[in-house]
Every structure is written in structure tokens, then in C-alpha cells.
Amino acid sequence: MDYDRLSTRGKDQSQALGAHLLAAGTTPTRVVSGNMKRQRQTAQRLIEAAGWDTTAVVDPGWDEFDATDLLNAYPEEDPSAKTDSRAFQRLLEKASARWASNNHDADYLESFSAFTQRIDTALDDAVEGLGPGRDAVVVSSSGAIAWAAARLVNGGFPQWLALNRVTVNSGVTKIVTGSSGKTMVTFNDHGHLPRAWVTYR
């Protein structure tokens, strides 16, 4: 199964968000997307639904962490995780804690520190030189968005894990930047979605 593609529901969510942003009068100066296929597909559908005359800039810094890599390195297995989403979530969170401990960095393609540093850099790059009254729209994935949010509340792994757990597909996190730095004013807003369309991961 090709996980890195936009599902039918994902297409609906992207279009709903685009229509919402169009109605809100949002016209971004730039649109940035991670390099994963589903991220690029989301950005394209969002642009089309919002009617923006722009092309998304691809920044691999916004790519998601590799959950398969984390699970492959974790020394325990749970057969029920293959069919039970709650069991899978528990296993992933245990594997994430091992990853974030920085005691086993050699076991991973990307350490937790490297992951968080690239998200920090990608966020800085996304808002660089925007100027007053100008917006950037970034299309990414739950782990990356959760870290950007955790960083802005001076949090660490526990905050990242909690935020990652509840991030809704196509949810909107709004960040403002100014002379005092970056401030998160909303996290995971998904009021543009019908309840039946709310999905995670």
C-alpha cells in the first residue's frame, strides 16, 4: 500500500480548507510544501480550491519523520498494532520516546535532534522576509507541525507527543511574527471540516 499519497478523504479535506481560506480572503505571498507526495498533492488541491495564482515552493525541511524507521528500531513488537489503531499508537509513542532519548541515535536514519532542528530551520525560512501584512501558507504533516507548535510554547518532547497525537488532517495552526518573534495564536483549527471528515495522521 502506498501510504505517501493523498486519500479520497484527504482530497476532500484539502478542498474544504481551500474554500475556507478563499472565503476568508486569505491571499498568501508564498505557499510552501514539504517534498512528500501527499504534501505536494495537498498543496496543489489547496491552491486550486482557493483560486490562488501561485505555485508551491517545495522545502524538504517540512517532511514528516519516518515512523517506519522508529518502529523498526524499537526492540519490542505488538502484533495487535497491525490491526488495532490504538495499539499502533501506543507502540509508536513508545518508539518515539526511545528515539527522542538521544541514547540510540545511531539506530535511526534521522535523530530526533536532527528532525527538530530541520523543522526549526524550515519555519524560520518560511517566514523570512515576509514583511507586514504578508502571509505564508505551509503544507506539512502532523509531526512537523506539532514540533513547530511545541517549539513556540517552549516545549519539548512531551508537548510534541501530546500535540502530535491530536493533530487533525488539514487543521490550521496560525503563527504570527513580528519584532518580538514568532507567536502561535491558534493550533489545529479544523472548523472548516464536517465532523465526519475529521481524521488523524
Side-chain angles (χ1 to χ4, degrees):
M1 181 176 181
D2 182 9
Y3 174 66
D4 189 20
R5 64 179 177 82
L6 200 59
S7 66
T8 299
R9 177 61 73 220
K11 295 174 184 177
D12 294 338
Q13 292 164 335
S14 303
Q15 290 173 328
L17 177 56
H20 170 74
L21 294 175
L22 174 63
T26 302
T27 306
T29 301
R30 68 178 64 127
V31 178
V32 182
S33 165
N35 192 42
M36 302 180 82
K37 184 190 299 183
R38 64 183 182 271
Q39 295 170 336
R40 289 184 277 111
Q41 291 174 335
T42 297
Q44 185 57 40
R45 286 190 171 267
L46 178 61
I47 288 168
E48 291 172 356
W52 296 332
D53 184 18
T54 189
T55 301
V57 175
V58 173
D59 179 357
W62 286 107
D63 287 0
E64 182 63 292
F65 69 95
D66 190 338
T68 300
D69 186 43
L70 271 60
L71 292 169
N72 287 340
Y74 192 62
E76 300 176 20
E77 293 186 10
D78 183 352
S80 65
K82 295 180 179 180
T83 56
D84 184 333
S85 62
R86 292 184 179 180
F88 175 83
Q89 184 65 31
R90 287 193 297 270
L91 184 63
L92 180 60
E93 292 189 4
K94 290 179 182 179
S96 297
R98 182 180 189 270
W99 178 47
S101 72
N102 297 320
N103 294 326
H104 311 279
D105 287 357
D107 293 348
Y108 303 102
L109 297 173
E110 179 181 47
S111 69
F112 182 72
S113 294
F115 165 71
T116 59
Q117 288 169 11
R118 74 169 165 86
I119 301 304
D120 290 348
T121 299
L123 177 57
D124 291 342
D125 290 346
V127 301
E128 178 67 28
L130 274 180
R134 296 180 178 271
D135 299 323
V137 170
V138 174
V139 176
S140 187
S141 297
S142 62
I145 295 166
W147 178 256
R151 168 195 174 185
L152 293 175
V153 295
N154 297 316
F157 173 75
Q159 289 75 26
W160 172 77
L161 189 65
L163 294 173
N164 188 38
R165 188 182 296 136
V166 299
T167 302
V168 171
N169 291 322
S170 87
V172 176
T173 295
K174 183 176 180 180
I175 297 166
V176 297
T177 184
S179 58
S180 60
K182 302 177 191 68
T183 303
M184 182 174 65
V185 294
T186 62
F187 172 73
N188 204 31
D189 179 10
H190 50 279
H192 55 281
L193 296 177
R195 180 173 295 184
W197 289 12
V198 174
T199 60
Y200 304 84
R201 205 188 333 279

